[in-house]
Amino acid sequence: MPSSFPSTAMASSSSSTSENPRISDHLALATAPISGRLAVTACAAMAFFYVAILYFPTLILRLPPPASLESFMIRRFACAVVSSAVSVISCLFLLGLGRLDDFPTILGVLGIRRDHLWQAAVFPILLTSLIYAGSFVSKSWKLVSRWKDEGRENSFCSVGIYGRRCKDWVCAYARNVMAWRNYVVAPITEELVFRACMIPLLLCGGFGTYSIVFLSPIFFSLAHLNHFLELYYQQKYSFMKAFLIVGLQLGYTVIFGWYTSFLFIRTGSLISPIVAHIFCNVMGLPVLSSPRTKGTATIAAAAGLVGFLYLLFPATNPDMYNQLRDGCRCWHRYCGWS
């Protein structure tokens, strides 16, 4: 456990915990401060509110429709921030942590910590990048092909051209409201609500570790069902096309939610799922095959998947992200997860 956390041991378990910091799940369950039903209800309410508030300005406040995409997205950004703040306050209240004088503990519940920052950021990105080995091969192949097409005799000139293109690309993304949505607002607010707020409630509600890893992403997935209504009613997609698009998205969000929930519990840091979320949004769906690479991308994707599964537990060992693992609370399940 990080040194910034209070050293208070679990209720009625301080002596045994100090002797064996790797507490087991049943010890954490015995000190659960809230009921499992209340935890599930709170998580469902957070997921519903995260989506419902997006329609609050037009349906409840009766504000006029936004004049542009930028104003529409900025309005949604504000709604996401409000939803996140309400979820954080609700989580802390249910866990009995409403006092601001215990600020390190409050931040610790949410996985907001100052220690082991580079480990929490770098290791998850390196681990996640293995899934995209096929994508890296495909993108590299395209870059090499483009370089050959432009001619090697202009290689020095091409370096300058690519440099200007890169600068223009960065500037364009900095001004792109959708880039802010995909790479800043959505990763931070979604991980804060669906991981940092929900998982501590479920952990302290007495649920087992693997149950939370595999079942909690359901809330995250269901929060994307509003996309079906937008595709079907607003963009006039056919029912089957909207169903297939959203169905694929729901399946992907469930798998992604498994991974980020795993990262949050294993590391105890909110940075880990956030950087993984941003990285996946940047990369998109992994490339499994590409005709141009003559099977190289497929081999790379398979090797990357094997490497990912092999390193999943070693690369997320709690000892790499926490100096101490004693004095744990119910939301510190990594203390008993070697």
Side-chain angles (χ1 to χ4, degrees):
M1 160 188 287
S3 56
S4 59
F5 287 164
S7 58
T8 305
M10 280 189 165
S12 70
S13 307
S14 57
S15 61
S16 61
T17 308
S18 59
E19 294 174 0
N20 182 15
R22 284 173 171 75
I23 60 173
S24 58
D25 274 3
H26 74 272
L27 182 57
L29 304 186
T31 58
I34 63 175
S35 67
R37 180 175 299 180
L38 177 59
V40 172
T41 301
C43 291
M46 290 177 185
F48 174 79
F49 186 63
Y50 187 85
V51 176
I53 196 174
L54 299 178
Y55 305 94
F56 185 83
T58 54
L59 297 181
I60 305 300
L61 297 180
R62 299 294 181 180
L63 296 179
S68 64
L69 175 62
E70 287 74 15
S71 59
F72 173 75
M73 294 307 303
I74 291 174
R75 183 181 292 183
R76 288 206 159 187
F77 293 168
C79 292
V81 170
V82 172
S83 173
S84 301
V86 171
S87 295
V88 168
I89 294 172
S90 301
C91 171
L92 298 176
F93 174 79
L94 291 174
L95 293 177
L97 297 170
R99 297 181 304 154
L100 293 179
D101 56 345
D102 200 7
F103 200 61
T105 301
I106 291 176
L107 295 180
V109 173
L110 304 174
I112 302 175
R113 298 160 33 180
R114 292 180 298 177
D115 63 299
H116 296 80
L117 284 177
W118 76 266
Q119 292 94 330
V122 174
F123 292 152
I125 287 183
L126 294 177
L127 180 64
T128 308
S129 66
L130 293 174
I131 304 177
Y132 291 94
S135 301
F136 288 128
V137 170
S138 178
K139 292 179 183 295
S140 300
W141 198 282
K142 290 180 181 179
L143 287 176
V144 171
S145 299
R146 183 180 301 176
W147 177 70
K148 289 181 177 180
D149 293 340
E150 292 181 357
R152 297 187 179 184
E153 66 277 4
N154 298 322
S155 58
F156 291 103
C157 180
S158 297
V159 171
I161 293 175
Y162 286 135
R164 289 193 296 271
R165 287 178 182 175
C166 182
K167 181 181 177 181
D168 294 341
W169 179 83
V170 171
C171 293
Y173 262 71
R175 296 190 297 266
N176 189 334
V177 68
M178 295 304 297
W180 281 91
R181 172 194 178 274
N182 295 331
Y183 309 136
V184 179
V185 178
I188 293 177
T189 59
E190 288 180 0
E191 296 307 317
L192 183 61
V193 173
F194 293 94
R195 250 62 73 178
C197 291
M198 292 188 183
I199 289 180
L201 288 174
L202 295 172
L203 288 171
C204 294
F207 291 93
T209 305
Y210 287 101
S211 297
I212 294 173
V213 169
F214 288 106
L215 297 181
S216 64
I218 293 177
F219 298 109
F220 180 57
S221 182
L222 293 178
H224 291 76
L225 282 176
N226 64 308
H227 295 170
F228 175 82
L229 300 178
E230 294 179 353
L231 291 175
Y232 185 66
Y233 289 105
Q234 296 181 5
Q235 301 185 31
K236 304 303 180 181
Y237 279 53
S238 66
F239 179 88
M240 184 57 63
K241 185 176 181 179
F243 176 80
L244 292 176
I245 293 175
V246 175
L248 177 62
Q249 187 180 45
L250 293 183
Y252 178 75
T253 53
V254 167
I255 297 174
F256 176 77
W258 291 344
Y259 179 51
T260 51
S261 298
F262 176 88
L263 285 177
F264 182 77
I265 299 177
R266 289 279 289 178
T267 66
S269 175
L270 181 59
I271 294 296
S272 296
I274 286 179
V275 297
H277 195 147
I278 295 173
F279 185 81
C280 290
N281 281 0
V282 170
M283 296 298 297
L285 291 175
V287 173
L288 302 180
S289 64
S290 175
R292 294 183 178 182
T293 61
K294 302 177 181 179
T296 307
T298 302
I299 296 174
L305 179 59
V306 172
F308 173 81
L309 295 175
Y310 179 78
L311 295 174
L312 182 60
F313 277 86
T316 59
N317 191 318
D319 290 331
M320 298 168 57
Y321 304 90
N322 305 276
Q323 294 174 349
L324 301 174
R325 292 170 66 183
D326 57 357
C328 294
R329 307 290 186 89
C330 58
W331 55 82
H332 298 147
R333 189 63 60 83
Y334 61 81
C335 290
W337 198 358
S338 302

